[in-house]
């Protein structure tokens, strides 16, 4: 069990930790995989450069599930982090340890689940507003660099530093689009996505509703059952992109190479067989299948269509409300030996924002999804509700 | 039974860009191994592709030259396969919305003109190069070529002979060189070709079993390969020598045979999908129009204009329209000196000689056409002798210079001082009574010898007609 995969003991001042999907040239980056154990990047991620330029010191690299796609780090090559038989948020542990905030790559909702279960604040920003240059690619069409902190204010401060146009990321959006944050006045609870969660999560939703109302926010209810489709769509897109992105790890140029091979095919096969974990292999196989000539139109193309429908659905929703409220996960804690495949169902709550690129903020154990570029407005609302709770 | 051959081509052409398609590494040929590489074109995690806009310019340019429809929203897709020369294990290419579709290329053979339909033109990145060392039994990889921008031109199966294939490839090469899309140098691998071939009974509308020969890079090898494959297919159909299967074959030009590489069953599934890291490229009217406006005249249109408007011979027009660089230089020189025949002669003989000596092709001509026109004017106005003008031309290949100024510096300006010329003529004539006597006895050659001696004494700075007259007058007066 390892919280830090690599630690910068000399870090002083405002310290931030990075999850191990974010590349650094002075500290190794393994992405939770044996494949990249000890890998040294030739460059820093843009978010790292920006944070350092703003005076943040890099505290170290936090343990992460293999390529960031699991529930909460349980598939890491370096072992899951757990106490009392339950998985623990690495980001929350680092914050407890003195870090001001944590940057992590939100591929499949893990940072949001971790924030919900540890009582921290996490923002998964609008897709394209924070550069992905220098993050280990997993599911590029939806993953974003997320910020986790003890308070909404700390979260917003670091988001302000790392956000902005980056010419090195072809999907980076011009700064002019971000504009001023419109305040959020109307929030709708998504009832279809609060069915089936545990009692404590229901209680957190109720507490959040009360805090919102006290702050003069109009709280309504809508079904939102359409958003259930986001989960399957994201599972298809994520698996396919991941399968393609990890195909570069072939044991030829860098990363793990098997000691036993005679032919080039054996070199590929044995290196990947020995270095990748079981859950990752499941996802690779599933992703590969969705892209095969026979299934592409029936599966992958349908997922792209669902993505488009969901973007339109949110657009119509945001004509009447400013944000939606929903859980970030179904339970307040995962068992230490949980089946990682649960990540394919638990992302029911995180996939809507991943698949549409919309911003999501987790605070007080619940999640708000707002319109594109409402990141700061969501954080400011979270800040008000936090103060209410105290 | 009579058979006909059905051929479709996939032609890969490296685009003439300074940098690679998704990173800023140089795309130039001929560097030391792995000199033009960075983490992006080596497929390292964390790098993201940023589209080189000039690649899209050239893609559109090629599409327009081949009469294609340009897709105003064009997208990039990933094609996955494992090979050590492909560092990211996927190639970024265009599968769903290529830059150009539905074009035509007109070819001309002994049988007349024929339109070959173009299915599509797509832009993609090249792979690296593997160097096999049989001696040490190792394979080394050179990533210089990785991510060098390519276009792939896919034809419909409209070609029916090796002769047509050669005419088609030469036509593509001519058009794309004129549009400055690529130098199309097969020997450097900047033009490569996959040949898809099948054979069917003449008049049948059903296609036969197709085989594909990949990476052909010489016209003569393509001709031999097509002839061999056609004979092999016909033999199989006529005599049942073998069962034809859809497969990829390798052409061995030394053995003069093709060999099976992989068939449909063992072929990989490329698992194409849209590349989420490359946003769709939207070509607006301003961009489209600027490319349209930059297109050159087709070579045959230029050729006709050179003959009709400039009065050049067919030979001269053919020679010049071999190369866009020659045409550009010719047109600039003509604009200056208004003498097409002179401009053509200087380019076709003198300039080509200089290029040949330094083993360069016409496309590598960098001579300033306006300066050439100025030089021609100096000669036509009798200010510089032809011999000296050639010396100036050689100097103009080495550096950009003003011919008039240079002629003055070098003492190449023709003298109009007839007294000085006459004095030299008298000295030369007096020193060579034998030539004078020979000339007077009817030997014209003797006069040429005397003329040459005078020219040497005058360092070439004399109007030949003036000298000729003075020389004759001097001898006659003896």
């Amino acid at each position: 069990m390892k919280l830090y995969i690599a630690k910068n003991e000399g870090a002083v001042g405002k310290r931030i930790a990075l999850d191990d999907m974010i590349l650094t040239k002075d500290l190794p980056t393994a992405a939770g995989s044996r494949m990249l154990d000890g890998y040294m990047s030739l460059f820093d991620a843009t978010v790292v450069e920006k944070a350092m330029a703003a005076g943040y010191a890099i505290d170290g690299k936090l343990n992460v599930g293999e390529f960031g796609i699991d529930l909460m780090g349980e598939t890491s090559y370096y072992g899951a982090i757990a106490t009392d038989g339950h998985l623990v948020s690495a980001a929350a542990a680092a914050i407890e340890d003195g870090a001001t905030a944590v940057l992590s790559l939100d591929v499949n909702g893990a940072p949001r689940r971790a924030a919900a279960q540890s009582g921290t604040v996490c923002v998964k920003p609008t897709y394209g507003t924070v550069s992905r240059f220098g993050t280990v690619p997993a599911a590029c069409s939806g993953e974003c660099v997320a910020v986790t902190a003890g308070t909404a204010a700390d979260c917003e401060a670091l988001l302000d530093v790392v956000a902005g146009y980056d010419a090195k990321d072809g999907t980076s959006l011009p700064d002019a689009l971000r504009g001023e944050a419109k305040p959020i006045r109307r929030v709708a609870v998504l009832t279809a996505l609060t069915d089936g969660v545990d009692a404590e999560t229901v209680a957190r939703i109720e507490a959040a509703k009360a805090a919102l109302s006290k702050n003069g926010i109009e709280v309504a209810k809508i079904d939102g059952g359409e958003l259930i489709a986001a989960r399957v769509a994201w599972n298809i897109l994520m698996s396919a992109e991941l399968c393609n992105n990890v195909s570069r790890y072939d044991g030829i140029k860098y990363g793990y190479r098997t000691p036993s091979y005679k032919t080039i095919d054996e070199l590929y096969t044995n290196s990947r067989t020995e270095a990748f974990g079981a859950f990752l292999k499941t996802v690779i196989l599933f992703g590969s299948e969705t892209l095969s000539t026979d299934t592409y139109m029936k599966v992958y193309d349908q997922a792209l269509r669902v993505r488009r429908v969901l973007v339109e659905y949110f657009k119509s929703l945001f004509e009447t409300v400013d944000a939606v409220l929903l859980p970030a996960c179904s339970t307040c804690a995962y068992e230490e030996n949980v089946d990682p495949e649960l990540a394919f169902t638990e992302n029911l709550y995180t996939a809507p924002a991943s698949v549409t690129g919309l911003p999501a903020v987790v605070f007080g154990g619940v999640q708000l999804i707002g319109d594109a570029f409402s990141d700061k407005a969501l954080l400011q609302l979270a800040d008000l509700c936090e103060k209410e709770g105290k | 039974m009579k058979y006909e051959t059905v051929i479709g081509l996939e032609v890969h052409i490296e685009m003439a860009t300074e940098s690679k398609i998704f990173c800023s590494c140089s795309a130039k040929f001929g560097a030391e191994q792995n000199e033009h590489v960075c983490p992006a074109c080596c497929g390292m995690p964390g790098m993201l592709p940023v589209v080189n806009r000039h690649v899209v310019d050239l893609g559109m340019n090629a599409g327009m030259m081949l009469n294609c429809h340009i897709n105003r929203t064009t997208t990039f897709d990933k094609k996955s396969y494992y090979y050590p020369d492909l560092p990211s294990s996927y190639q970024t290419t265009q599968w769903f919305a290529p830059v150009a579709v539905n074009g035509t290329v007109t070819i001309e053979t002994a049988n007349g003109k024929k339109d070959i339909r173009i299915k599509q033109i797509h832009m993609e990145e090249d792979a690296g190069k593997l160097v096999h060392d049989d001696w040490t039994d190792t394979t080394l990889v050179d990533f210089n070529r990785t991510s060098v921008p390519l276009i792939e031109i896919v034809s419909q199966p409209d070609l029916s002979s090796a002769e047509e294939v050669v005419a088609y490839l030469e036509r593509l090469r001519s058009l794309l060189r004129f549009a400055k899309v690529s130098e199309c140098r097969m020997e450097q691998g900047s033009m490569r070709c996959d040949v898809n071939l099948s054979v069917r009974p003449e008049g049948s509308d059903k296609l036969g079993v197709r085989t594909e020969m990949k990476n052909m890079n010489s016209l003569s090898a393509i001709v031999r390969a097509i002839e061999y494959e056609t004979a092999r297919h016909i033999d199989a159909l006529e005599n049942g020598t073998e069962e034809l299967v859809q497969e990829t074959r390798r052409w061995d030009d030394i053995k003069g045979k093709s060999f099976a590489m992989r068939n449909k069953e063992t072929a990989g599934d490329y698992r194409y999908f849209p590349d989420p890291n490359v946003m769709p490229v939207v070509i607006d009217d301003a961009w489209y129009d600027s490319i349209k406006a930059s297109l050159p005249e087709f070579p045959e249109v230029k050729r006709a204009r050179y003959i009709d408007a400039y009065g050049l011979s067919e030979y001269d027009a053919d020679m010049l329209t071999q190369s866009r660089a020659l045409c550009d230089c010719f047109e600039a020189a003509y604009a200056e000196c208004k003498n097409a025949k002179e401009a053509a002669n200087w380019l076709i003989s003198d300039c080509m000689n200089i290029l040949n000596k330094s083993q360069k092709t016409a496309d590598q001509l960098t001579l300033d056409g306006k300066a050439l026109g100025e030089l021609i004017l100096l000669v036509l106005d009798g200010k510089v002798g032809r011999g000296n003008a050639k010396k100036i031309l050689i100097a103009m290949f080495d550096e950009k210079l003003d011919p008039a100024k240079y002629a003055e510096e070098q003492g190449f300006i023709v003298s109009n001082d007839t007294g000085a010329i006459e004095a030299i003529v008298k000295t030369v004539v007096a020193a060579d009574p034998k030539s004078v006597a020979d000339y007077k006895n009817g030997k014209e050659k003797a006069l040429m010898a005397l003329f040459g001696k005078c020219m040497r004494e005058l360092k070439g700075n004399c109007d030949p007609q003036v000298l000729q007259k003075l020389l004759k007058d001097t001898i006659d007066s003896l």
Side-chain angles (χ1 to χ4, degrees), chain B residues 209-227:
Chain B
V209 175
R210 162 171 60 96
T211 58
E212 180 179 22
M213 284 177 293
K214 281 203 173 289
N215 270 326
M216 310 285 299
N217 58 2
S218 107
L219 285 180
S220 56
I222 290 168
V223 170
R224 284 190 288 273
I226 289 173
E227 282 164 358

Side-chain angles (χ1 to χ4, degrees), chain A residues 94-116:
Chain A
I95 290 164
E96 203 152 295
D97 208 32
T100 315
V102 174
L103 294 174
S104 37
L105 191 68
D106 186 331
V107 183
N108 191 29
R112 278 177 276 162
R113 283 188 289 273

Side-chain angles (χ1 to χ4, degrees), chain B residues 8-26:
Chain B
L9 292 188
E10 289 160 32
V11 182
H12 291 87
I13 290 168
E14 273 181 6
M15 290 193 249
T17 54
E18 288 297 319
S19 52
K20 295 187 175 183
I21 184 166
F22 297 123
C23 62
S24 55
C25 286
S26 165

